[in-house]
Amino acid sequence: MRRDIFTAEQADFRLLIRDFVAREIVPCYQDWERAGEVPREFFRKLGDIGVMGMAIPEEHGGSGNADYRYNVILQEEASRALVTMGTVRTQLDVILPYFLAYANEEQRERWFPGLAAGTLLTAIAMTEPGTGSDLAAVQTNARREGDSYVLNGSKMFISNGQIADTIIVVAKTDPKARPAHRGVSLILVDKDAPGFVRGRKLDKLGFKGQDTSELFFEDCRVPVTNLLGQEGQGFKMLMEKLQQERLTTAVGSLASARRCLDDTVAYTKQRKAFGQPIAAFQNTQFKLAEMATEVEVGQAFVDRCLAAHVRGDEIVSEVSMAKWWVTDLLKKVTSQCLQLHGGYGFMMEFPVATDYADAAIQSIYAGTNEIMKVIIARRMGLESRE
Ligand SMILES: Cc1cc2nc3c(=O)[nH]c(=O)nc-3n(C[C@H](O)[C@H](O)[C@H](O)COP(=O)(O)OP(=O)(O)OC[C@H]3O[C@@H](n4cnc5c(N)ncnc54)[C@H](O)[C@@H]3O)c2cc1C
């Protein structure tokens, strides 16, 4: 079905990005996977064509007028080409909104030009070895000493951890605050800060082309001017900005499901068994027809969420619904498509094997699907008795 949420200018942008992905990512993507990270040079190239700064104000080196639909196009075109722009997504969709909403004028001058040029790479460190879903329980703390914060703690599973120049760290500035979330703040740690140590680049099931790392803070000293927003407001800021991260996860998952399905339709038309194409069996047709239906149903809902998000509506429940439903759909689609490939589906040279592996994380990060249902239920007035 024709999608009516994009402008003509955005349709042109899609063609530009499709060409860019084919030229700049596809030929070297296996190198990224082997290295387990995206080369810095790639971000600079995206900066050169204006993508890294498309939401950053002109006075700070960006073009300043792009709404979230441009990010959606990036996601969709990467999924279409079976590559992840994972860390670009982290920077543009997840992290930049914090800078745009909460950086003060001095911080804007310090960080925005590098963000727009693609020379300043970022990460956001919420998860810790001991806590992920329960964000208010983070143990990393930031003690005020004169004009500095002194951070101690460790973070786990951090996207971009190896290549980030500056990291938004979720830390407790008031560990005794009750309720606990009132003690949470967001503090920027630069890579050269004394006491900041990068840990292992973790070995993963999927998403091999981007790094996921451990980080350590050992009496790590940063100036108080690195506080983002207000002390004690970190949890509220996270809750506000996680809406877009979750929507992004749904957008990318749906685009991957659609492409995996298209690949499988093509495969089943050419693979033969018992003297006929696999696609001629009724089981194959019904499975493909069911999946095509669910992808279209998902697209209708996701596009509705996108339009509402761009308008600035508060759609926390709907985005949580989209995130869990679409990422579960992706797992179902990749699993069924792999089955329709037979033994070839288990071979890494067939895209469906990568799709299957990459699908596993989508229901876990950006808030697990169980947490999405907790949010929806709470907003339906259903209180937990646990
Ligand atoms: C590839 C990758 C990239 C990531 N990137 C980042 C990043 O850049 N920054 C960052 O901060 N984090 C990142 N993460 C971490 C990710 O956000 C967490 O893994 C996720 O939030 C889940 O936390 P956890 O792993 O501690 O699981 P846990 O919280 O231990 O959950 C384990 C299980 O218990 C369930 N559970 C927990 N609480 C409830 C409840 N109340 N009701 C029902 N079930 C519940 C969960 O749904 C899950 O199934 C990344 C993870 C991966 C794998």
Side-chain angles (χ1 to χ4, degrees):
M1 255 195 310
R2 193 174 66 80
R3 298 168 69 197
D4 57 7
I5 58 160
F6 298 107
T7 63
E9 195 185 317
Q10 287 162 350
D12 290 343
F13 178 74
R14 184 183 289 282
L15 297 179
L16 175 94
I17 294 303
R18 189 168 295 177
D19 178 59
F20 182 85
V21 169
R23 267 187 303 109
E24 301 287 349
I25 307 182
V26 173
C28 50
Y29 192 66
Q30 283 188 340
D31 296 338
W32 296 9
E33 288 191 315
R34 270 190 290 274
E37 61 187 51
V38 181
R40 295 184 67 90
E41 176 66 8
F42 173 69
F43 293 87
R44 205 192 44 70
K45 283 184 184 166
L46 273 177
D48 288 347
I49 61 166
V51 167
M52 298 306 285
M54 59 192 181
I56 292 178
E58 276 178 45
E59 67 266 29
H60 295 301
S63 51
N65 54 7
D67 69 41
Y68 175 65
R69 285 171 293 181
Y70 287 87
N71 302 31
V72 169
I73 290 169
L74 285 174
Q75 267 288 294
E76 291 181 345
E77 289 305 312
S79 297
R80 188 177 171 279
L82 191 60
V83 295
T84 60
M85 279 199 217
T87 48
V88 173
R89 186 193 91 151
T90 308
Q91 178 134 336
L92 291 184
D93 296 12
V94 179
I95 298 174
L96 190 57
Y98 289 92
F99 282 93
L100 291 171
Y102 306 118
N104 60 31
E105 199 45 42
E106 179 273 323
Q107 293 171 334
R108 286 172 167 245
E109 279 170 24
R110 205 168 5 140
W111 288 313
F112 280 15
L115 289 170
T119 51
L120 182 81
L121 306 186
T122 57
I124 185 161
M126 300 174 263
T127 309
E128 300 188 348
T131 190
S133 302
D134 185 5
L135 259 183
V138 291
Q139 296 294 307
T140 299
N141 62 77
R143 190 177 72 246
R144 178 87 189 242
E145 271 187 19
D147 286 342
S148 304
Y149 285 113
V150 179
L151 281 82
N152 279 286
S154 56
K155 295 289 177 180
M156 191 55 144
F157 309 140
I158 306 307
S159 305
N160 266 13
Q162 296 297 322
I163 57 172
D165 300 301
T166 192
I167 297 157
I168 301 179
V169 178
V170 177
K172 288 260 173 78
T173 41
D174 180 3
K176 294 202 181 99
R178 292 293 170 269
H181 66 78
R182 294 217 180 115
V184 174
S185 301
L186 305 187
I187 296 174
L188 273 292
V189 173
D190 293 324
K191 66 174 191 289
D192 300 326
F196 168 59
V197 181
R198 299 188 211 264
R200 285 175 303 155
K201 185 194 291 180
L202 301 161
D203 194 13
K204 308 190 287 288
L205 171 66
F207 271 20
K208 302 275 189 185
Q210 67 182 72
D211 87 85
T212 306
S213 299
E214 298 170 316
L215 303 175
F216 301 99
F217 308 91
E218 297 162 358
D219 284 332
C220 171
R221 192 172 284 273
V222 301
V224 285
T225 50
N226 279 21
L227 175 73
L228 197 59
Q230 313 255 303
E231 246 189 44
Q233 293 294 304
F235 194 82
K236 189 163 163 272
M237 290 148 74
L238 290 165
M239 292 306 114
E240 274 176 32
K241 296 300 166 204
L242 278 166
Q243 173 169 304
Q244 182 160 303
E245 180 173 357
R246 288 168 183 159
L247 190 50
T248 289
T249 308
V251 165
S253 296
L254 196 59
S256 296
R258 185 183 289 283
R259 204 245 323 110
C260 180
L261 184 59
D262 290 347
D263 288 350
T264 306
V265 169
Y267 178 82
T268 57
K269 282 183 183 166
Q270 58 84 24
R271 174 76 179 170
K272 290 205 169 81
F274 300 96
Q276 55 182 329
I278 303 286
F281 298 122
Q282 193 184 55
N283 175 65
T284 307
Q285 294 174 0
F286 282 10
K287 282 275 180 291
L288 293 172
E290 284 165 14
M291 288 188 279
T293 307
E294 285 172 296
V295 166
E296 287 305 331
V297 170
Q299 192 75 68
F301 185 55
V302 166
D303 282 358
R304 206 161 155 234
C305 288
L306 284 174
H309 181 66
V310 170
R311 276 199 308 271
D313 296 358
E314 193 268 350
I315 48 167
V316 170
S317 290
E318 291 79 0
V319 164
S320 304
M321 291 171 189
K323 198 270 175 184
W324 85 254
W325 193 85
V326 173
T327 58
D328 271 7
L329 174 65
L330 176 66
K331 284 203 212 172
K332 181 167 138 189
V333 167
T334 55
S335 166
Q336 292 187 349
C337 286
L338 190 151
Q339 182 72 15
L340 288 171
H341 277 71
Y344 290 106
F346 200 61
M347 300 298 127
M348 292 314 290
E349 64 197 84
F350 278 76
V352 71
T354 303
D355 283 326
Y356 181 79
D358 286 355
I361 185 55
Q362 304 292 349
S363 58
I364 295 172
Y365 64 13
T368 67
N369 284 8
E370 291 74 25
I371 294 298
M372 295 304 99
K373 291 172 197 175
V374 169
I375 293 170
I376 298 162
R378 203 174 283 149
R379 284 169 169 258
M380 291 166 72
L382 306 167
E383 290 300 324
S384 166
R385 288 179 177 273
E386 289 167 33

